[in-house]
Amino acid sequence: MNREKCTAVVLAAGKGSRMGTKIQKQYLEICGKPVLYYSLAAFAASPIIDEIVLVTGEGKTDYCRKNIIEAYGITKVNKIVVGGKERYESVYKALREIEPEGYVFIHDGARPFVDESIIERTYQAVKEYRACVAGMPSKDTVKIVDENDFAVNTPERRFVWCIQTPQVFETALIRHAYFKLMENEENEIGITDDAMVVERMENCAVKLVEGSYENIKITTPEDLILAESLIKKRN
């Protein structure tokens, strides 16, 4: 029985200004290996994933090929694409490079702890719902504030999720949504993730799927310390 083709788009074009280092966060090392290595290795090892499209920043294509993909023997990376200034531009450039069938897993290269269980759960969900994102229920109470930082609303915590990646879609659906998005600059205002593109452009409901509280994004120096402890725990 043939199954739909699955492509992982791994985004590694971000500047990572909040990290406060000259080296972009996706290239910083955790336990001796670049942050980006871990997510690439997870998708390469997954029997669900057929190919990987890596999106890098300007001038980083050769570095990623030689120092990460070839150095660590990572398979399935069929294309390396230079990203745009904004995240949605990078995703758009990647989507133009893949065929419009099957499913696409869009993942932040700064999230090193994606694993096979998350890939499997999102894969099963996308087959049923067409669009899904990994996330976890918020552990904290969340306050909605006004422009002066006064609390104006407190949503029920059971309805609040913290969104992660991968975000997984029917490839044709997300491609069509992104192509529509890029037709008009006004569409791009306020876009922060791929689910918003599908919701806004296609009026498509997006299913939330359990990721992991360990599926953290490396954003600040404190995250590197936590990531090292998580890797040591896993090993």
Side-chain angles (χ1 to χ4, degrees):
M1 179 179 173
N2 293 331
R3 66 170 179 82
E4 298 279 3
K5 182 178 182 180
C6 291
T7 301
V9 170
V10 178
L11 303 170
K15 295 287 192 297
S17 56
R18 282 177 288 180
M19 183 58 72
T21 58
K22 292 182 180 179
I23 301 173
Q24 292 163 294
K25 61 187 178 183
Q26 56 268 34
Y27 306 124
L28 294 172
E29 290 193 351
I30 308 173
C31 295
K33 293 176 181 175
V35 170
L36 179 57
Y37 156 81
Y38 292 96
S39 56
L40 288 175
F43 285 115
S46 173
I48 291 170
I49 302 301
D50 299 298
E51 67 172 359
I52 300 169
V53 176
L54 174 61
V55 185
T56 72
E58 191 78 42
K60 291 294 186 180
T61 299
D62 288 341
Y63 175 87
C64 286
R65 182 180 291 110
K66 293 175 183 177
N67 294 280
I68 300 178
I69 296 168
E70 293 178 0
Y72 294 102
I74 295 172
T75 59
K76 299 183 183 178
V77 181
N78 289 357
K79 294 177 182 175
I80 302 179
V81 178
V82 176
K85 291 182 180 179
E86 302 293 339
R87 184 185 188 280
Y88 63 82
E89 293 176 306
S90 295
V91 175
Y92 171 67
K93 287 188 172 188
L95 292 174
R96 289 193 307 181
E97 298 295 321
I98 65 178
E99 298 171 359
E101 74 258 358
Y103 305 109
V104 60
F105 293 65
I106 303 173
H107 186 70
D108 294 326
R111 286 190 188 272
F113 297 109
V114 61
D115 58 24
E116 185 60 23
S117 62
I118 297 173
I119 295 170
E120 174 66 27
R121 284 196 294 274
T122 51
Y123 175 58
Q124 294 302 329
V126 76
K127 289 193 293 182
E128 183 173 356
Y129 301 106
R130 303 183 67 208
C132 70
V133 301
M136 291 299 288
S138 175
K139 294 180 180 181
D140 302 314
T141 295
V142 173
K143 296 285 186 181
I144 307 300
V145 301
D146 62 17
E147 60 274 11
N148 296 313
D149 294 335
F150 285 97
V152 294
N153 187 24
T154 306
E156 285 191 58
R157 192 164 62 187
R158 64 193 177 102
F159 294 129
V160 178
W161 281 53
C162 298
I163 301 306
Q164 305 174 350
T165 64
Q167 303 198 358
V168 191
F169 309 90
E170 286 183 353
T171 305
L173 173 70
I174 191 68
R175 273 171 49 99
H176 191 254
Y178 260 96
F179 292 173
K180 285 172 66 177
L181 177 79
M182 302 301 287
E183 288 174 359
N184 188 333
E185 287 187 7
E186 291 185 2
N187 293 337
E188 301 161 9
I189 297 172
I191 292 293
T192 57
D193 74 344
D194 311 298
M196 287 183 68
V197 180
V198 166
E199 291 162 349
R200 186 178 293 183
M201 296 293 104
E202 301 293 326
N203 195 29
C204 177
V206 177
K207 177 71 171 177
L208 269 62
V209 180
E210 182 179 316
S212 168
Y213 287 118
E214 292 187 358
N215 186 24
I216 63 170
K217 187 175 184 180
I218 306 298
T219 305
T220 64
E222 294 80 12
D223 297 326
L224 283 174
I225 297 170
L226 176 57
E228 290 219 355
S229 68
L230 288 171
I231 288 173
K232 288 175 181 176
K233 185 186 80 170
R234 289 186 174 193
N235 292 339

